[in-house]
Amino acid sequence: MSTEDSQSGDNRFRRSPTGPAVAPPRGPAGQAPPPVQPPRRRRHFWSVAIFILLVSGVCIRAYRDLSQPEAWHYWKDQYVSPSLTFSLIDRVDLDGAAQGRRALFVSGTIGPAAATLFRDKLDQVNLAAGDIVLLASPGGDLNQATIMGEIIRQRSLATAVGGADASGRVKPAYCASACVLVYAGGKTRFGVLGSALGVHRFVTTRPVEDPVADTQRIAGAVLGYMTKMGVSSSIVEAMSETRDIRWLSPKQALAMNLVTDPLGKP
């Protein structure tokens, strides 16, 4: 083999058939070649798949929860269109009583989320013991009303039926049906002259197997609640007499101990 053949053999991978010799790329001496990165497409696919499963699980659970009418009504009342409205009054004047006290004016229908909204608002305005909850409501959810009354009693707040003008002077209003249970929660229950308290028989609105037994159960629960709040059992008798609203006279409300501190002559 000639020298030319030998060189030709050594350079057969470095010589271009149509051009000059091309040397293969070489890294620095002693340096390892860069590692080969595995494809990331598979890892990305599983991340997306897990995320979709998690979101789907949350959506399915939320759908199941909100598919119940009670849950939907509660969600709507709390987040979409609350049935109660609240206004803080810095200084309330109840015909010379409770001057300088703060008051939270609560008006509207007592909806499925009323107790939660009420508690959150009380936490926000930070009423002190002896401050007043002013009520003006046609009633609503019985269970929510009892919870609201329990909250009022736990915080040693007073109650009154009425609205208030810009100066803080209380004007007459009415409180009927379940609203009376909220009013009964007051440690002191002011009787505003001209305001009205209305009661009636409580009945369930959902289908039940024995309506009579269910009505008796509700009456027993109302009696237990009113007795706990210091109201005479005669109020339950007044409730049971009619399904229509019965407006109590100031003397009747005072005799039942529903009103504990009348303002003006009953």
Side-chain angles (χ1 to χ4, degrees), residues 94-98 158-161 183 187-195 197 249-266:
L94 285 168
D95 290 335
T159 53
V161 177
Y183 173 78
K187 191 172 183 180
T188 300
R189 299 183 285 272
F190 292 105
V192 177
L193 190 62
S195 290
L197 290 160
S249 69
K251 288 184 177 181
Q252 288 174 329
L254 186 61
M256 295 173 180
N257 205 39
L258 181 60
V259 172
T260 63
D261 195 342
L263 305 175
K265 294 182 180 181

Side-chain angles (χ1 to χ4, degrees), residues 37-51:
Q37 296 293 334
R40 296 186 178 182
R41 180 172 299 177
R42 191 176 187 86
R43 184 187 306 172
H44 179 69
F45 168 79
W46 284 113
S47 299
V48 173
I50 293 173
F51 175 77

Side-chain angles (χ1 to χ4, degrees), residues 122-145:
L122 286 177
D123 291 339
Q124 179 183 344
V125 301
N126 195 26
L127 292 185
D131 286 343
I132 302 168
V133 176
L134 281 175
L135 298 166
S137 169
D141 191 295
L142 179 65
N143 292 328
Q144 294 294 303

